[in-house]
């Protein structure tokens, strides 16, 4: 078997969640250091993505470093919270120049934290950048504001990578970076080497993309810097445990990464509202190991012949053989 990939998770995987119904949360609050301890309890995570600022945490960055070290974890990324109440009309695209300045200051601060932690990238999820109604915005203006803000940020820190996590909607009805194609268009317009894409598998499903195709397009442009994996019912960004719904498409996604020798972290972005967060991460990694084994046993030559002939049934037989053989070994994994 080829070497296992590095596994990671967003630290929010181990938090407690709220929604518009359970406004008091689905459990007691979980502090940052306890979240890190829960990530460590999974046993097979190597890296975590941390939100910035550390909301509700009154310790120091050294305390965070110590907690990561004691759990044998490293920070792979910092995600600045540019999608909160302060930025309800956008971060990069906010109509108020003072708010845009505040958002960029937060991103600069997050970058300094990322550099201090030795992270690989800063993740940008501009969830409030977009619109909700026809005629609400001038589309040319908001697009240009997004590109100008990104260029300013990335130009100021050439020593670290930035990734855009695109998503079709939520919290805005329309987000300015909704798809792999539009995100690539913006990145190529900016033209800086340290700006790429974080492809969230669930966002791609939710956007009615084929995630493997989206990954291939990003790879072909040299811009697939990171991935997050999860699952959903395709009607919403449910952030379910990876592999729980779209097993074959998940396999195809990772096959595309393997075929292109993409060797980044296999990172979890799951929201186990009602499940034990440590067990949800363990189950996800258990499944991802089966996917990894299936990639090893898949007959790639036969698959290439089937794909060259556009023979769907032959391709499906090969995929099912590889998946079912590998999945059968899960209980002993």
């Amino acid at each position: 078997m080829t070497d296992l990939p590095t596994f990671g998770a967003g630290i929010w995987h181990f938090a407690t969640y709220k929604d518009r119904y359970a406004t008091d949360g689905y459990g007691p609050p979980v502090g940052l250091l306890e979240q890190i301890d829960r990530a460590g309890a999974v046993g097979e995570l190597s890296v975590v993505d941390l939100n910035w600022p550390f909301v509700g945490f009154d310790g120091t960055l050294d305390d965070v470093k110590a907690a990561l070290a004691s759990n044998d974890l490293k920070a792979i990324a910092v995600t600045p919270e540019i999608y909160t109440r302060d930025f309800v009309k956008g971060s990069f695209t906010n109509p108020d120049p003072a708010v845009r300045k505040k958002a960029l200051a937060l991103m600069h601060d997050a970058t300094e934290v990322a550099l201090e932690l030795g992270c690989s990238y800063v993740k940008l999820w501009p969830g409030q950048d977009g619109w909700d109604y026809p005629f609400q915005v001038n589309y040319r203006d908001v697009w240009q504001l997004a590109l100008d803000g990104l260029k300013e940020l990335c130009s100021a820190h050439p020593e670290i990578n930035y990734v855009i996590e695109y998503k079709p909607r939520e919290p805005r009805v329309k987000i300015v970076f909704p798809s792999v194609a539009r995100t690539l268009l913006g990145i190529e317009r900016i033209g800086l080497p340290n700006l790429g894409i974080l492809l969230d598998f669930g966002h791609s499903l939710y956007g009615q993309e084929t995630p493997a195709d989206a990954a291939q397009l990003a790879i072909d442009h040299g811009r697939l810097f990171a991935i997050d994996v999860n699952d959903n019912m395709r009607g919403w960004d449910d952030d379910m445990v990876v592999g729980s719904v779209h097993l074959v498409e998940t396999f195809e996604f990772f096959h595309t990464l393997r075929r292109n020798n993409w060797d980044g972290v296999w990172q979890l972005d799951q929201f186990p509202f009602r499940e034990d967060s440590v067990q949800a991460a363990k189950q996800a990694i258990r499944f991802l190991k089966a996917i990894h084994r299936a990639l090893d046993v898949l007959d790639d030559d036969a698959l290439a012949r089937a794909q060259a002939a556009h023979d769907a049934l032959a391709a499906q037989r090969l995929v099912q053989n590889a998946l079912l053989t590998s999945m059968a070994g899960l209980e002993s994994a």
Side-chain angles (χ1 to χ4, degrees):
M1 186 172 73
T2 56
D3 292 340
L4 285 171
T6 299
F7 297 114
I11 198 64
W12 51 88
H13 184 292
F14 304 98
T16 299
Y17 311 106
K18 299 179 181 180
D19 60 25
R20 64 195 180 106
Y21 300 103
T23 56
D24 55 346
Y26 283 85
V30 182
L32 176 60
L33 299 187
E34 186 180 352
Q35 292 172 31
I36 294 172
D37 286 343
R38 289 185 179 187
V42 175
E44 296 186 271
L45 294 176
S46 299
V47 298
V48 290
D49 178 348
L50 301 173
N51 298 104
W52 176 262
F54 301 141
V55 177
F57 177 64
D58 58 4
T60 67
L61 192 56
D62 283 340
D63 294 331
V64 174
K65 289 179 180 178
L68 291 169
S70 67
N71 284 285
D72 199 23
L73 294 168
K74 294 181 179 179
I76 190 173
V78 168
T79 298
E81 294 193 344
I82 56 173
Y83 40 79
T84 56
R85 185 169 60 184
D86 289 344
F87 309 109
V88 292
K89 288 190 175 181
S91 53
F92 293 109
T93 64
N94 197 289
D96 186 340
V99 177
R100 297 199 300 270
K101 184 177 180 180
K102 180 178 180 179
L104 280 169
L106 177 60
M107 288 181 261
H108 286 299
D109 288 346
T111 302
E112 295 302 325
V113 172
L115 290 168
E116 178 69 21
L117 291 171
C119 294
S120 300
Y121 58 88
V122 175
K123 186 179 77 180
L124 306 173
W125 180 60
Q128 299 286 7
D129 287 282
W131 57 90
D132 304 307
Y133 292 91
F135 288 100
Q136 184 174 7
V137 302
N138 180 303
Y139 302 117
R140 177 183 291 171
D141 289 350
V142 295
W143 182 240
Q144 195 60 52
L145 283 171
L147 300 188
D148 289 346
L150 282 163
K151 188 168 187 177
E152 177 183 334
L153 178 67
C154 297
S155 296
H157 304 282
E159 69 276 25
I160 192 167
N161 285 335
Y162 292 85
V163 297
I164 300 170
E165 181 180 7
Y166 69 87
K167 185 178 180 180
R169 61 167 298 177
E170 193 214 8
R172 298 309 292 260
V173 173
K174 296 287 186 180
I175 292 177
V176 71
F177 291 107
S179 65
V180 68
R182 186 175 172 94
T183 306
L184 282 171
L185 178 65
I187 290 171
E188 295 307 315
R189 280 276 302 276
I190 292 167
L192 294 173
N194 63 327
L195 180 60
I197 284 176
L198 181 145
L199 200 164
D200 182 297
F201 184 85
H203 292 182
S204 187
L205 288 174
Y206 180 31
Q208 302 303 311
E209 294 179 332
T210 296
D213 172 60
Q216 187 65 64
L217 190 61
I219 289 169
D220 287 345
H221 284 78
R223 299 293 186 175
L224 186 61
F225 288 6
I227 62 168
D228 279 350
V229 291
N230 43 48
D231 213 333
N232 60 51
M233 296 291 188
R234 240 187 178 107
W236 194 249
D237 183 32
D238 303 301
D239 283 323
M240 298 162 68
V241 172
V242 61
S244 52
V245 183
H246 292 93
L247 191 153
V248 173
E249 284 183 276
T250 303
F251 186 40
E252 184 186 34
F253 177 74
F254 282 108
H255 179 261
T256 298
L257 301 183
R258 171 77 70 91
R259 184 174 56 199
N260 287 276
N261 298 312
W262 191 91
D263 62 352
V265 173
W266 293 19
Q267 186 147 291
L268 307 178
D269 182 8
Q270 304 177 155
F271 277 64
F273 280 81
R274 300 166 184 82
E275 292 74 40
D276 180 276
S277 61
V278 173
Q279 291 304 315
K282 286 184 175 182
Q283 182 157 320
I285 293 172
R286 173 176 171 268
F287 169 76
L288 290 175
K289 285 181 174 180
I291 288 288
H292 184 264
R293 288 195 298 272
L295 292 171
D296 283 345
V297 303
L298 180 64
D299 188 336
D300 278 310
D301 291 338
L303 179 62
R305 291 191 296 272
Q307 290 181 330
H310 293 197
D311 189 337
L313 298 181
Q316 286 296 303
R317 283 195 299 273
L318 292 163
V319 166
Q320 289 167 3
N321 287 342
L323 271 177
L324 294 174
T325 299
S326 299
M327 296 294 289
L330 275 179
E331 290 306 319
S332 59

